[in-house]
Amino acid sequence: MDKDFIVGCHLSLSDGYSAMGARILGLGGNTFQFFTKNPRGRTPNREPDKEDVKGLAGMLCRREVILPVAHAPYTYNPCALKPEVRDYTWDSMRAELTFLEQLPGVLYNFHPGCHVGQGAEEGCRIVAAMLEQVLWPGMKTVVLLETMAGKGTELGRSFEELASILSMVDPALRSSLGVTLDTCHVSDAGYDVRDSFDGVLREFDSVLGLDRLRAVHLNDSANPGGSRKDRHAKLGEGFIGEKALVRIARHPLLKGIPKILETPNDEAGYAREIRILKENDPYERNE
Ligand code: FE
Ligand code: FE
Ligand code: ZN
Protein backbone atom coordinates (compact mmCIF):
# COMPACT_ATOMS: atom_id res chain seq x y z
CA MET A 1 0.00 0.00 0.00
CA ASP A 2 1.16 3.52 -0.82
CA LYS A 3 2.63 4.78 2.49
CA ASP A 4 1.77 8.37 1.54
CA PHE A 5 -1.92 7.51 1.55
CA ILE A 6 -2.78 6.96 5.18
CA VAL A 7 -6.33 5.81 5.79
CA GLY A 8 -8.22 3.97 8.49
CA CYS A 9 -11.13 4.12 10.89
CA HIS A 10 -12.09 4.33 14.52
CA LEU A 11 -11.58 1.04 16.41
CA SER A 12 -12.25 -0.19 19.94
CA LEU A 13 -9.38 -0.55 22.39
CA SER A 14 -11.20 -3.37 24.18
CA ASP A 15 -8.92 -6.12 22.83
CA GLY A 16 -5.73 -4.11 23.36
CA TYR A 17 -3.21 -2.13 21.34
CA SER A 18 -1.69 -4.85 19.15
CA ALA A 19 -5.14 -6.13 18.27
CA MET A 20 -6.07 -2.72 16.81
CA GLY A 21 -2.96 -2.79 14.63
CA ALA A 22 -3.81 -6.26 13.33
CA ARG A 23 -7.47 -5.29 12.92
CA ILE A 24 -6.84 -2.28 10.72
CA LEU A 25 -4.53 -4.22 8.41
CA GLY A 26 -7.34 -6.77 8.07
CA LEU A 27 -9.73 -3.96 7.09
CA GLY A 28 -7.32 -2.71 4.40
CA GLY A 29 -6.13 0.42 6.23
CA ASN A 30 -2.79 1.56 7.61
CA THR A 31 -3.88 3.85 10.44
CA PHE A 32 -6.70 3.93 13.02
CA GLN A 33 -8.12 5.89 15.91
CA PHE A 34 -9.18 4.77 19.38
CA PHE A 35 -10.61 6.29 22.54
CA THR A 36 -8.04 6.37 25.32
CA LYS A 37 -10.83 5.17 27.59
CA ASN A 38 -14.54 4.45 27.42
CA PRO A 39 -15.66 7.66 25.64
CA ARG A 40 -18.72 8.47 27.72
CA GLY A 41 -17.90 6.86 31.03
CA ARG A 42 -15.12 7.53 33.43
CA THR A 43 -13.88 4.01 33.97
CA PRO A 44 -10.15 4.23 34.59
CA ASN A 45 -7.76 2.60 32.14
CA ARG A 46 -6.73 -0.90 32.99
CA GLU A 47 -2.99 -0.92 33.45
CA PRO A 48 -1.89 -1.55 29.83
CA ASP A 49 -0.05 -4.82 29.23
CA LYS A 50 3.63 -4.08 28.41
CA GLU A 51 3.96 -6.78 25.74
CA ASP A 52 0.73 -5.61 24.10
CA VAL A 53 1.98 -2.01 23.91
CA LYS A 54 5.34 -3.21 22.57
CA GLY A 55 3.54 -5.14 19.85
CA LEU A 56 1.97 -1.95 18.51
CA ALA A 57 5.24 -0.03 18.96
CA GLY A 58 6.87 -2.62 16.67
CA MET A 59 4.22 -2.14 14.01
CA LEU A 60 4.76 1.63 14.19
CA CYS A 61 8.50 1.19 13.91
CA ARG A 62 8.10 -1.00 10.80
CA ARG A 63 5.58 1.50 9.39
CA GLU A 64 2.91 -1.18 9.06
CA VAL A 65 0.65 1.31 10.81
CA ILE A 66 1.32 5.03 10.48
CA LEU A 67 0.27 7.93 12.72
CA PRO A 68 -2.67 6.38 14.58
CA VAL A 69 -4.73 8.77 16.67
CA ALA A 70 -5.52 8.45 20.38
CA HIS A 71 -8.77 10.37 20.96
CA ALA A 72 -9.52 11.82 24.41
CA PRO A 73 -12.96 10.80 25.77
CA TYR A 74 -16.02 13.05 25.37
CA THR A 75 -16.31 13.35 29.15
CA TYR A 76 -13.27 15.61 29.24
CA ASN A 77 -13.81 19.34 29.28
CA PRO A 78 -10.54 21.26 29.58
CA CYS A 79 -12.38 24.52 30.29
CA ALA A 80 -15.16 23.18 32.53
CA LEU A 81 -16.56 25.54 35.11
CA LYS A 82 -16.65 22.82 37.79
CA PRO A 83 -13.15 22.52 39.22
CA GLU A 84 -13.49 18.75 39.69
CA VAL A 85 -14.24 18.22 35.96
CA ARG A 86 -11.45 20.55 34.95
CA ASP A 87 -8.91 18.93 37.27
CA TYR A 88 -10.00 15.45 36.22
CA THR A 89 -9.52 16.41 32.54
CA TRP A 90 -6.11 18.00 32.99
CA ASP A 91 -4.81 15.13 35.18
CA SER A 92 -6.15 12.48 32.80
CA MET A 93 -4.64 14.16 29.75
CA ARG A 94 -1.27 14.46 31.42
CA ALA A 95 -1.38 10.75 32.38
CA GLU A 96 -2.40 9.73 28.86
CA LEU A 97 0.35 11.80 27.25
CA THR A 98 2.90 10.33 29.65
CA PHE A 99 1.77 6.83 28.67
CA LEU A 100 1.93 7.65 24.94
CA GLU A 101 5.67 8.31 25.13
CA GLN A 102 5.89 4.50 24.85
CA LEU A 103 4.22 4.71 21.44
CA PRO A 104 6.17 7.26 19.41
CA GLY A 105 4.29 8.28 16.28
CA VAL A 106 0.83 8.18 17.87
CA LEU A 107 -1.07 11.49 17.70
CA TYR A 108 -3.30 12.70 20.56
CA ASN A 109 -6.58 14.39 19.61
CA PHE A 110 -8.91 16.26 21.97
CA HIS A 111 -11.95 18.52 21.81
CA PRO A 112 -11.14 22.02 23.09
CA GLY A 113 -14.29 21.75 25.19
CA CYS A 114 -17.36 23.78 26.08
CA HIS A 115 -17.00 27.17 27.74
CA VAL A 116 -20.39 26.69 29.44
CA GLY A 117 -21.21 30.39 29.64
CA GLN A 118 -17.75 31.67 30.53
CA GLY A 119 -17.46 33.07 27.00
CA ALA A 120 -15.34 31.84 24.09
CA GLU A 121 -12.48 34.19 24.91
CA GLU A 122 -12.18 32.98 28.50
CA GLY A 123 -12.63 29.38 27.30
CA CYS A 124 -9.71 29.72 24.88
CA ARG A 125 -7.56 31.22 27.63
CA ILE A 126 -8.28 28.28 29.94
CA VAL A 127 -7.54 25.70 27.22
CA ALA A 128 -4.20 27.41 26.53
CA ALA A 129 -3.41 27.37 30.27
CA MET A 130 -4.27 23.66 30.36
CA LEU A 131 -1.91 22.95 27.46
CA GLU A 132 0.90 24.75 29.26
CA GLN A 133 0.25 22.50 32.26
CA VAL A 134 0.06 19.15 30.47
CA LEU A 135 2.67 19.54 27.70
CA TRP A 136 6.38 19.52 28.31
CA PRO A 137 9.35 20.50 26.13
CA GLY A 138 10.74 17.62 24.11
CA MET A 139 7.66 15.38 24.34
CA LYS A 140 7.30 13.02 21.38
CA THR A 141 3.54 13.08 20.89
CA VAL A 142 1.88 15.76 18.80
CA VAL A 143 -1.32 16.98 20.47
CA LEU A 144 -4.18 17.93 18.16
CA LEU A 145 -7.06 20.33 18.75
CA GLU A 146 -10.12 19.18 16.84
CA THR A 147 -12.21 21.57 14.76
CA MET A 148 -15.75 21.45 16.17
CA ALA A 149 -19.28 21.86 14.79
CA GLY A 150 -20.12 24.65 17.23
CA LYS A 151 -22.93 22.90 19.07
CA GLY A 152 -23.94 24.74 22.26
CA THR A 153 -20.93 26.49 23.77
CA GLU A 154 -18.34 24.32 21.99
CA LEU A 155 -14.98 25.96 21.35
CA GLY A 156 -13.16 25.36 18.07
CA ARG A 157 -16.06 26.28 15.78
CA SER A 158 -13.77 28.51 13.75
CA PHE A 159 -10.14 28.38 12.69
CA GLU A 160 -9.75 31.74 14.47
CA GLU A 161 -10.74 30.22 17.83
CA LEU A 162 -8.12 27.48 17.47
CA ALA A 163 -5.54 30.06 16.38
CA SER A 164 -6.35 32.14 19.44
CA ILE A 165 -5.71 29.14 21.73
CA LEU A 166 -2.41 28.35 19.97
CA SER A 167 -1.27 31.96 20.15
CA MET A 168 -1.59 31.93 23.96
CA VAL A 169 0.57 28.82 24.42
CA ASP A 170 4.27 29.25 25.24
CA PRO A 171 6.11 29.17 21.87
CA ALA A 172 8.49 26.53 23.30
CA LEU A 173 5.53 24.12 23.53
CA ARG A 174 3.75 25.14 20.35
CA SER A 175 5.76 22.74 18.17
CA SER A 176 3.96 19.88 19.96
CA LEU A 177 0.56 21.18 18.81
CA GLY A 178 -1.46 20.66 15.68
CA VAL A 179 -5.04 20.60 14.43
CA THR A 180 -7.43 17.86 13.27
CA LEU A 181 -9.84 18.92 10.56
CA ASP A 182 -13.14 17.02 10.91
CA THR A 183 -15.01 17.37 7.62
CA CYS A 184 -18.45 16.92 9.25
CA HIS A 185 -17.71 19.43 12.01
CA VAL A 186 -16.20 22.04 9.69
CA SER A 187 -19.14 21.74 7.28
CA ASP A 188 -21.59 22.01 10.19
CA ALA A 189 -19.68 25.07 11.41
CA GLY A 190 -20.39 26.76 8.08
CA TYR A 191 -17.29 26.19 5.94
CA ASP A 192 -18.05 25.16 2.36
CA VAL A 193 -16.44 21.73 2.49
CA ARG A 194 -18.56 20.28 -0.30
CA ASP A 195 -18.16 22.88 -3.03
CA SER A 196 -15.03 24.79 -2.14
CA PHE A 197 -12.61 22.65 -0.17
CA ASP A 198 -9.63 24.43 -1.75
CA GLY A 199 -11.05 27.66 -0.38
CA VAL A 200 -11.40 26.05 3.08
CA LEU A 201 -7.75 24.96 2.94
CA ARG A 202 -6.68 28.46 1.87
CA GLU A 203 -8.54 29.91 4.84
CA PHE A 204 -7.00 27.31 7.16
CA ASP A 205 -3.59 28.25 5.79
CA SER A 206 -4.07 31.97 6.27
CA VAL A 207 -5.46 31.65 9.82
CA LEU A 208 -3.53 28.68 11.25
CA GLY A 209 -0.88 27.76 8.69
CA LEU A 210 -1.23 24.53 6.73
CA ASP A 211 1.71 22.97 8.60
CA ARG A 212 -0.55 22.80 11.68
CA LEU A 213 -2.92 20.43 9.89
CA ARG A 214 -1.89 16.97 11.08
CA ALA A 215 -4.98 14.75 10.82
CA VAL A 216 -8.31 14.60 9.02
CA HIS A 217 -11.53 13.06 10.35
CA LEU A 218 -13.28 12.02 7.16
CA ASN A 219 -17.04 12.02 7.78
CA ASP A 220 -20.10 12.86 5.80
CA SER A 221 -22.63 15.07 7.62
CA ALA A 222 -26.29 14.17 8.19
CA ASN A 223 -27.08 17.90 8.13
CA PRO A 224 -26.65 20.80 5.70
CA GLY A 225 -23.71 23.18 6.00
CA GLY A 226 -23.86 25.59 8.94
CA SER A 227 -26.32 23.46 10.93
CA ARG A 228 -24.05 23.17 14.03
CA LYS A 229 -25.48 19.70 14.71
CA ASP A 230 -22.53 17.25 14.59
CA ARG A 231 -24.20 14.13 13.29
CA HIS A 232 -21.86 12.01 11.19
CA ALA A 233 -23.10 10.09 8.14
CA LYS A 234 -21.60 7.32 6.01
CA LEU A 235 -19.63 8.47 2.96
CA GLY A 236 -22.12 9.46 0.31
CA GLU A 237 -25.14 9.37 2.63
CA GLY A 238 -24.88 12.95 3.83
CA PHE A 239 -24.76 16.55 2.64
CA ILE A 240 -21.04 16.57 1.76
CA GLY A 241 -21.20 13.59 -0.56
CA GLU A 242 -18.80 10.86 -1.63
CA LYS A 243 -17.27 12.78 -4.53
CA ALA A 244 -16.15 15.71 -2.35
CA LEU A 245 -14.94 13.39 0.43
CA VAL A 246 -12.83 11.30 -1.98
CA ARG A 247 -11.28 14.51 -3.31
CA ILE A 248 -10.48 15.63 0.24
CA ALA A 249 -8.98 12.23 1.13
CA ARG A 250 -6.78 12.38 -1.95
CA HIS A 251 -5.97 16.09 -1.88
CA PRO A 252 -2.30 16.60 -2.85
CA LEU A 253 -1.79 19.10 0.01
CA LEU A 254 -2.96 16.48 2.52
CA LYS A 255 -0.51 13.74 1.50
CA GLY A 256 1.06 12.01 4.47
CA ILE A 257 -1.73 13.13 6.82
CA PRO A 258 -3.88 10.34 8.35
CA LYS A 259 -7.54 10.24 7.18
CA ILE A 260 -9.70 8.63 9.84
CA LEU A 261 -13.28 7.52 9.21
CA GLU A 262 -15.68 8.15 12.12
CA THR A 263 -18.71 7.22 10.10
CA PRO A 264 -21.59 5.22 11.65
CA ASN A 265 -20.38 1.83 10.39
CA ASP A 266 -19.65 -1.69 11.54
CA GLU A 267 -16.30 -3.15 10.49
CA ALA A 268 -17.62 -4.41 7.14
CA GLY A 269 -18.85 -0.89 6.40
CA TYR A 270 -15.47 0.58 7.31
CA ALA A 271 -13.67 -1.95 5.07
CA ARG A 272 -15.96 -0.87 2.24
CA GLU A 273 -15.29 2.84 2.75
CA ILE A 274 -11.52 2.25 3.04
CA ARG A 275 -11.67 0.34 -0.26
CA ILE A 276 -13.53 3.23 -1.96
CA LEU A 277 -10.87 5.68 -0.81
CA LYS A 278 -7.98 3.43 -1.86
CA GLU A 279 -9.42 2.69 -5.29
CA ASN A 280 -10.35 6.24 -6.26
CA ASP A 281 -7.82 8.97 -6.87
CA PRO A 282 -9.28 11.87 -8.85
CA TYR A 283 -5.88 13.57 -8.96
CA GLU A 284 -3.99 10.57 -10.39
CA ARG A 285 -4.20 11.56 -14.03
CA ASN A 286 -2.90 15.08 -13.39
CA GLU A 287 0.39 13.97 -11.87
FE1 FE B 1 -13.69 14.04 18.01
FE1 FE C 1 -14.03 13.97 14.74
ZN1 ZN D 1 -18.39 14.65 15.57
Side-chain angles (χ1 to χ4, degrees):
M1 187 170 172
D2 175 7
K3 303 259 191 222
D4 268 347
F5 186 53
I6 308 173
V7 65
C9 62
H10 194 92
L11 295 176
S12 163
L13 173 60
S14 56
D15 292 328
Y17 293 89
S18 301
M20 292 189 291
R23 201 77 212 108
I24 197 60
L25 298 185
L27 296 176
N30 56 358
T31 191
F32 60 89
Q33 177 175 269
F34 61 99
F35 284 122
T36 51
K37 60 172 81 101
N38 179 348
R40 296 189 193 276
R42 284 195 181 190
T43 37
N45 293 336
R46 266 177 290 143
E47 191 57 44
D49 178 80
K50 284 217 163 60
E51 288 310 308
D52 179 31
V53 175
K54 263 196 209 154
L56 178 60
M59 296 184 83
L60 284 160
C61 209
R62 295 189 295 274
R63 288 178 57 81
E64 292 163 1
V65 293
I66 307 168
L67 297 170
V69 180
H71 192 310
Y74 292 141
T75 41
Y76 292 3
N77 185 5
C79 57
L81 195 54
K82 288 188 191 151
E84 63 272 25
V85 179
R86 203 189 283 191
D87 291 349
Y88 166 75
T89 300
W90 294 23
D91 293 348
S92 303
M93 284 178 66
R94 177 80 188 204
E96 285 163 6
L97 289 170
T98 305
F99 164 71
L100 284 177
E101 291 292 290
Q102 296 172 56
L103 288 168
V106 176
L107 303 162
Y108 184 86
N109 175 93
F110 76 102
H111 296 178
C114 294
H115 68 68
V116 287
Q118 301 170 92
E121 210 175 304
E122 175 65 359
C124 290
R125 197 195 57 74
I126 298 168
V127 175
M130 179 277 290
L131 289 168
E132 293 201 334
Q133 283 291 310
V134 308
L135 306 182
W136 64 94
M139 64 187 288
K140 295 186 198 122
T141 305
V142 176
V143 175
L144 307 177
L145 295 99
E146 183 168 351
T147 52
M148 300 309 293
K151 232 178 3 184
T153 66
E154 243 170 23
L155 295 176
R157 64 183 65 202
S158 68
F159 300 154
E160 282 78 5
E161 270 182 15
L162 297 179
S164 130
I165 295 171
L166 289 170
S167 73
M168 287 185 275
V169 176
D170 180 348
L173 298 169
R174 242 179 262 163
S175 57
S176 298
L177 290 170
V179 171
T180 299
L181 188 149
D182 185 309
T183 54
C184 167
H185 297 176
V186 163
S187 171
D188 283 17
Y191 293 90
D192 191 358
V193 170
R194 186 186 61 192
D195 294 321
S196 175
F197 187 67
D198 281 320
V200 175
L201 279 187
R202 268 195 302 277
E203 197 167 338
F204 188 103
D205 190 36
S206 76
V207 177
L208 282 156
L210 212 49
D211 53 336
R212 286 277 175 217
L213 182 49
R214 304 301 281 277
V216 170
H217 286 165
L218 201 70
N219 304 310
D220 213 329
S221 174
N223 294 288
S227 63
R228 300 200 184 282
K229 286 267 174 43
D230 190 3
R231 270 197 50 229
H232 302 190
K234 294 180 192 180
L235 299 196
E237 295 188 7
F239 282 81
I240 302 174
E242 185 176 305
K243 190 163 170 245
L245 288 162
V246 168
R247 289 186 69 83
I248 292 167
R250 289 297 194 160
H251 199 288
L253 288 174
L254 305 182
K255 256 195 182 130
I257 294 174
K259 319 295 182 322
I260 310 276
L261 296 157
E262 301 175 313
T263 44
N265 271 307
D266 56 15
E267 289 200 343
Y270 277 136
R272 192 186 139 265
E273 292 190 345
I274 290 169
R275 197 171 346 106
I276 291 171
L277 297 169
K278 282 167 73 179
E279 286 172 358
N280 293 289
D281 185 354
Y283 296 93
E284 205 170 38
R285 265 153 272 136
N286 308 334
E287 281 180 328

